[in-house]
Amino acid sequence: MKDNKNINTDSSLIRDILAKSLDMQVLNLTEVSALLSLEDKGLWEEVFDIARRVKEKVYGKRIVLFAPLYLSSECTNDCLYCGFRKGHKDAVRKTLNVKEAVEEAQLLANRGYKRLLLVASEHAKLAGIDYMEQIIGALYENTDIRILHANTAPVSVEDFRRLKNAGLGVYQCFQETYHIPTYRHMHQKGTKADYAWRLGVMDRAIEAGFDDVGMGVLLGLYDWRWEVAALISHCRRLINKYGLGPHTLSVPRLQPAQGSNINWKYKVSDDDLKKIVAIYRLALPYVGVVVSTREPALLREELLLLGASQISAGSKTSPTGYLHDGDTEQFEIGDARSLEEIIEKIASMGLVPSLCTACYREGRSGEAFRHLAEKEGIKKFCHENALLSLKEYLEDCASDEVKMKLQKLMDGEIAKSANGLVEKFRLIELGKRDSHI
Ligand code: SAM
Ligand code: SF4
């Protein structure tokens, strides 16, 4: 990235960049650098406003909800920031067996979740590829979860093929930091010490057939402006090489973790996190921007109004976390609200909570999805499917109080609907499930 002082950040340049994003074009690195070096508070308000508008242009008002399911905390790596690191001698560790994983997943399904993100530490023997295949198969067969994504250790092309064939939707992996000296310091032992192996993970996943991949950097390890530019550069390289970039960008921000060993020199402030969410949204307009429960409730609500499109809810970050407390968490969470509380909050903000998984059921992934997103065609699917998924939630899981509160949203949508929403809702009331367009 160029020296900040040399970058022209005058308002007309910034407004040209914003117009390009509103036109659904991917930004180049000079444009991303101009946003990264912007200081004018008034112009930042314009940037946030356009980021919100771009999100609504692509996805409408819907906000996708999911939960992580931690499978294992037994790790052969020693990432200095993580509660599962090998060097954390006091950690209480656990790898779920198939029965336990099914129990946790069904518990989440009973709360209303339809999509889960499987998360695991790296342990080739205890949580390797055979284990993952077994778990994925068992969860699809024995629970009401409709789509599984994974944030697990990088593997070879051949092993990625096995994960894809097992039915994983998105494969997600964070580079943590692109800055090589910082990477080496943070990852001194285990497979993860190999920077190049991690950097090539998206190439291997895409070559194995994953046309939806999720990327990110762990914010707080190094200068965030440098990392954001490097991440966008990585995305642009994938787009040039494969014709497709990331399906999602996440904004994991470093949290305190038991047994971690980090200094907070590069701590990312709340204001900076807002800028990062907006820049991701503008740089790759069609991308899903994901905010986890690492962040506190109020900040998450603000992020939803400036470009974020997916959030996790009611999360636990230890393998037995949903069934009972006991094993060590990966890091502390900032938003402990339940799925129901978050659904209610999102609806009260004039947004539409969504538990939809339709695109995976209809094969709208990779290039097909991006094409629809760029042509502003995906939001009509997203909006109706969000409402259908919410109707199922209200029928099956919601408390009477939340049902009453959300009825107003549903009535308003029925009044606006010209395409038979009433009939589809009636069928859901009669027991039809997985209704989508
Ligand atoms: N073990 C695999 C790996 O490292 O790629 C899979 C996922 S790991 C369990 C999930 C992610 O959690 C890591 O990629 C890292 O970015 C993030 N993480 C680890 N420690 C964290 C912390 N203290 N605060 C916030 N995020 C953290
Ligand atoms: Fe293991 Fe992943 Fe934690 Fe590193 S970040 S110690 S690889 S679980």
Side-chain angles (χ1 to χ4, degrees), residues 261-327:
N261 176 13
I262 41 162
N263 69 47
W264 293 88
K265 183 174 169 202
Y266 293 107
K267 198 170 188 310
V268 173
S269 69
D270 290 358
D271 282 346
D272 289 341
L273 191 65
K274 291 183 206 168
K275 292 176 183 171
I276 294 166
V277 166
I279 291 173
Y280 284 172
R281 165 61 55 220
L282 295 170
L284 296 169
Y286 62 87
V287 88
V289 177
V290 188
V291 180
S292 77
T293 52
R294 288 172 181 85
E295 304 306 334
L298 279 177
L299 179 61
R300 296 216 307 159
E301 286 154 25
E302 285 184 78
L303 296 176
L304 290 180
L305 297 176
L306 44 89
S309 53
Q310 303 192 14
I311 57 171
S312 50
S315 307
K316 297 284 183 182
T317 66
S318 74
T320 54
Y322 297 109
L323 289 171
H324 51 78
D325 289 333
D327 47 43

Side-chain angles (χ1 to χ4, degrees), residues 69-321:
L69 173 55
Y70 275 70
L71 297 174
S72 176
S73 54
E74 294 179 273
C75 198
T76 47
N77 293 322
D78 198 31
C79 315
L80 295 187
Y81 42 81
C82 179
F84 295 165
R85 62 190 278 246
K86 191 174 182 192
H88 182 198
K89 300 293 178 208
D90 298 332
V92 180
R93 296 181 193 272
K94 171 86 186 162
T95 298
L96 297 183
N97 61 33
V98 172
K99 184 170 166 282
E100 290 164 331
V102 166
E103 264 173 45
E104 287 232 321
Q106 188 52 41
L107 180 151
L108 289 167
N110 293 342
R111 287 180 190 167
Y113 297 91
K114 306 290 181 210
R115 90 169 58 194
L116 297 183
L117 174 70
L118 301 178
V119 184
S121 47
E122 180 157 4
H123 200 299
K125 283 202 186 116
L126 294 172
I129 198 75
D130 293 341
Y131 169 83
M132 287 302 299
E133 268 182 344
Q134 235 189 329
I135 294 281
I136 294 165
L139 296 189
Y140 279 133
E141 207 168 304
N142 301 305
T143 74
D144 296 318
I145 294 298
R146 294 182 188 148
I147 188 73
L148 297 167
H149 301 322
N151 182 343
T152 49
V155 290
S156 64
V157 175
E158 195 185 316
D159 285 350
F160 270 127
R161 271 198 201 103
R162 289 173 62 182
L163 291 177
K164 178 74 187 162
N165 291 338
L168 271 191
V170 177
Y171 172 73
Q172 183 186 72
C173 185
F174 307 143
Q175 180 59 28
E176 319 298 13
T177 171
Y178 286 90
H179 186 250
I180 295 176
T182 305
Y183 190 94
R184 293 218 169 106
H185 173 67
M186 293 290 162
H187 310 99
Q188 295 172 23
K189 293 182 195 147
T191 320
K192 202 161 161 180
D194 185 344
Y195 180 92
W197 176 249
R198 190 138 185 119
L199 193 64
V201 63
M202 291 303 155
D203 295 72
R204 296 196 299 282
I206 293 170
E207 281 161 24
F210 276 99
D211 53 2
D212 283 345
V213 292
M215 298 167 70
V217 280
L218 181 52
L219 298 162
L221 296 184
Y222 187 61
D223 174 13
W224 67 265
R225 288 183 173 82
W226 195 92
E227 300 280 27
V228 167
L231 174 63
I232 302 295
S233 169
H234 190 178
C235 298
R236 286 181 56 88
R237 187 189 142 272
L238 294 174
I239 294 171
N240 290 337
K241 188 169 173 190
Y242 301 103
L244 58 97
H247 180 69
T248 57
L249 287 179
S250 299
V251 288
R253 184 164 63 153
L254 198 58
Q255 303 300 314
Q258 265 181 43
S260 65
N261 176 13
I262 41 162
N263 69 47
W264 293 88
K265 183 174 169 202
Y266 293 107
K267 198 170 188 310
V268 173
S269 69
D270 290 358
D271 282 346
D272 289 341
L273 191 65
K274 291 183 206 168
K275 292 176 183 171
I276 294 166
V277 166
I279 291 173
Y280 284 172
R281 165 61 55 220
L282 295 170
L284 296 169
Y286 62 87
V287 88
V289 177
V290 188
V291 180
S292 77
T293 52
R294 288 172 181 85
E295 304 306 334
L298 279 177
L299 179 61
R300 296 216 307 159
E301 286 154 25
E302 285 184 78
L303 296 176
L304 290 180
L305 297 176
L306 44 89
S309 53
Q310 303 192 14
I311 57 171
S312 50
S315 307
K316 297 284 183 182
T317 66
S318 74
T320 54

